[in-house]
Every structure is written in structure tokens, then in C-alpha cells.
Amino acid sequence: MIGEPRLPLLLLRIISNCQRNGDFPSCPLSFDKLLVEHLMSLLGRIFADDEELGKKDDDRKPGTRNLLPKWSARKPTSPTPWQRRKRTVVYGLIACISLYLFFKNMPTPDHPPVARRPQYDRSPRHGPPTSDRSFPSHEPPHPKIPSEAEQHYYNQPIKFNDLAVSLRAAYSVWGYMEENKNVLFAASNLKSASEIIPIACEMAKGERNDVHFAFMGRDNLDLDEIKILNGVDEQCKVNWHDARPDFSPWSTDFRMEVSVSAALGYIDKYMHPQAVITDDPSREDAFFTTAMRAKTFELGKPAIELPSDASESLMWIARLDSGSLA
């Protein structure tokens, strides 16, 4: 034990190290580490001293140095009372320090065990440290004016609430025949409807065709309100069909495209139109034009897309019969 640093000197050494490094939070770790290192070195020196003492005792015994051959192993001598006392004190210190470290680092419900790892400063040498790129816990705010994709989100199965009644009426008036006088006008928005409704009414006045008008858009106006907006009165003998699906104002483009195709399929089954007339594609909705072209081609029906000034320059088309349009 002579020459070993005492506990106060050890504490002073730890405190000086903390002050030199400026890392006071890691002082308890330094204390534990230095304490264990100190005990390990102390144990090594104790057992080394015991071995040296045993050798010295053998050398002091008379006649033993020359009697034993050089290659023979020396038998260990029994420890002295001082050696036993010193080992007991050291073992007791080791046991106390082990219990201290165990209870100090024992995890509790409030403080679960955390692996202690060295922490390094990863910030750049110049400028402020980079910001944390963790995912936010909440979604970003929605825009004040919702986009078209946010307005049109409904994509459930399609139901036609008002189409069946008008189709039954058309079926009873020669609609079941493949060849008849039925001509269908169709539109998907109010602007297109206002362009072709006058042509449909003019054609119905000639009584050469049975004229039908189907509205297949997203507008939520009632069919009677659409007729009032376009100045339709009782003299316009057009058969009206509401071919809009349920929840049309909130339906996706795909749902509306499927709806137009399905409605035209029902109309052809119950009415067998000889020709389908629509407005200029630049004024129609894209889903309507795409579905109408595909479905009329599938059914083999003539599809007539009027130009933008048809109500002024092509009013003569109203005088043609269904055979001429086909």
C-alpha cells in the first residue's frame, strides 16, 4: 500500500481532469472509471508484492537456496498475518465499490437503462448547425381555396336516380326498335347545353325526328332549372333525360367518365338513337368527350361534334331527319 495514491488524492485528480476538460457532466463516469483502474492496479501490485515476499522468505531460510536445484518449482509459502489482513481490506473495498456501482447504475421505472455512447459534434465548423429533418407530427395546412382534385374526390359505385323514369317513357314510343326516328343531343356543362339546346328545340319543331336531350355533367342544378335558364318553354318538344350520377358535383373525373359511358349504354338499350350530337369538344369536359367517343365507337353509333359557332352557322342541321344524320 506504500506509494499508492490515497482517496483524497484520487478525488483531486478527478476534479482536476474535469476542470481541464471542461466536461463536468462526465465527472461521475470519470470517477467510476478511474476508481476501477486504481483498484485493478492496486490488486496487481498486491499480488506481485505477495510473490516477492514469498521469494524473500524462501531466500531467508537457511540452506534452501543451495539445496534446491535450479529447475525445481518452489512451493508457495503460507501468507503472513499482514498479507491476510491486506487482502481482506482490498476484497472488502472491491465489494463495497461493486455494490456502489451496481446501485448507482441500476435502472428504475422512471429512468430506464440507456446505453452510454460517446457524442461527437457533427455541426459544420462555420455557420449554424443544420436543422433537424425529422418528420412533422401533423399534416400541413390545407389551402384556403381547394384545388379541383380536392373538390372531386368521390369515387364510389354509380347510381342513376332519375334516368330510369325517362328511359321507360322513351322505350314505350318505338324506343325498343333498332331503326326509329330518335336523335340524341348530349352535354356535360351549362355552357355547352346553352349552345345545343336551341338546335334541339328547332329540330323538334319540325316533327321529323324524336329529339332527346341528356345532361351528363357535374352541375347540381335541377333539370327544370336548366331549361328555364335556356328559355325552354312548352313549345320545345324535346324529351329530357337527367343522366347524371349521384353525388356528381364531388365525383372524380374517372367516375364521371364511367358514368357517361354507362348512361349512354342504358340510353342505347332503351332508345336506340340513330345519331348522337354533342357540342364543340373545346367547350365540353374532357371526361365527357373521351367517354362519348369511345362508347359511340363501341356501339357503332354516328357521333356528330358540332363546331363552336354551330348555333349560328349550322342551324340548317335541325331540318335533317334521323336517316340523313345517320
Side-chain angles (χ1 to χ4, degrees):
M1 300 292 289
I2 299 174
E4 293 295 332
R6 297 296 187 269
L7 186 59
L9 297 179
L10 182 63
L11 292 176
L12 290 175
R13 179 183 172 187
I14 296 172
I15 294 171
S16 63
N17 288 335
C18 294
Q19 291 177 348
R20 188 183 306 111
N21 298 329
D23 188 13
F24 285 96
S26 62
C27 284
L29 293 177
S30 302
F31 176 75
D32 297 344
K33 182 178 179 181
L34 291 175
L35 193 58
V36 172
E37 291 178 357
H38 178 72
L39 288 175
M40 292 299 103
S41 62
L42 182 61
L43 284 176
R45 295 186 181 185
I46 288 174
F47 288 109
D49 293 342
D50 292 343
E51 185 177 357
E52 294 295 330
L53 288 174
K55 291 180 181 180
K56 292 180 180 180
D57 290 340
D58 291 340
D59 293 340
R60 291 193 190 97
K61 291 181 181 180
T64 57
R65 179 177 301 179
N66 299 325
L67 292 177
L68 291 176
K70 294 181 180 180
W71 49 267
S72 63
R74 294 186 179 92
K75 295 182 179 180
T77 58
S78 58
T80 62
W82 165 245
Q83 293 175 356
R84 294 194 190 96
R85 200 178 309 116
K86 185 167 57 174
R87 291 182 181 179
T88 302
V89 172
V90 172
Y91 291 152
L93 287 175
I94 292 174
C96 292
I97 293 173
S98 300
L99 291 174
Y100 164 75
L101 295 176
F102 173 77
F103 286 107
K104 179 182 178 181
N105 299 315
M106 184 174 63
T108 61
D110 297 333
H111 302 282
V114 179
R116 295 177 179 176
R117 297 181 180 178
Q119 298 180 355
Y120 304 98
D121 186 11
R122 300 180 183 273
S123 59
R125 294 181 178 273
H126 303 284
T130 57
S131 60
D132 189 8
R133 296 187 63 184
S134 60
F135 291 100
S137 59
H138 56 84
E139 61 183 16
H142 294 282
K144 295 181 180 180
I145 302 177
S147 63
E148 184 177 356
E150 292 175 334
Q151 290 177 344
H152 304 147
Y153 59 89
Y154 190 74
N155 199 29
Q156 297 302 315
I158 297 170
K159 295 180 181 179
F160 296 101
N161 297 326
D162 302 319
L163 184 59
V165 176
S166 59
L167 286 182
R168 290 194 190 100
Y171 185 79
S172 62
V173 185
W174 310 105
Y176 56 88
M177 297 182 64
E178 291 287 342
E179 295 182 2
N180 52 46
K181 298 191 300 181
N182 292 329
V183 176
L184 175 66
F185 287 80
S188 65
N189 57 64
L190 297 177
K191 187 175 182 180
S192 296
S194 64
E195 292 292 330
I196 62 176
I197 284 178
I199 301 176
C201 291
E202 187 67 22
M203 183 180 288
K205 288 179 181 179
E207 297 183 353
R208 303 181 65 180
N209 301 310
D210 292 327
V211 183
H212 301 263
F213 185 91
F215 190 70
M216 302 179 176
R218 282 198 176 103
D219 294 278
N220 205 23
L221 291 176
D222 189 74
L223 200 57
D224 292 334
E225 294 177 345
I226 295 175
K227 291 191 289 183
I228 293 173
L229 287 176
N230 288 277
V232 177
D233 53 17
E234 295 180 355
Q235 296 179 358
C236 183
K237 304 298 182 181
V238 174
N239 300 290
W240 302 91
H241 304 277
D242 192 344
R244 291 173 290 184
D246 57 335
F247 304 107
S248 58
W250 303 277
S251 298
T252 61
D253 287 346
F254 175 75
R255 188 174 190 264
M256 293 302 298
E257 184 177 336
V258 174
S259 171
V260 171
S261 180
L264 186 57
Y266 288 129
I267 291 171
D268 180 69
K269 181 179 179 180
Y270 285 89
M271 194 172 65
H272 296 98
Q274 303 302 295
V276 179
I277 302 175
T278 59
D279 191 25
D280 185 5
S282 63
R283 283 198 292 256
E284 289 287 3
D285 294 304
F287 65 82
F288 174 82
T289 302
T290 302
M292 191 63 66
R293 289 174 178 176
K295 194 63 176 179
T296 52
F297 178 79
E298 178 186 339
L299 297 174
K301 300 293 182 180
I304 302 174
E305 295 178 350
L306 300 176
S308 57
D309 58 345
S311 59
E312 298 176 0
S313 61
L314 290 179
M315 188 60 70
W316 56 266
I317 199 175
R319 297 191 292 269
L320 300 178
D321 58 11
S322 58
S324 300
L325 294 172

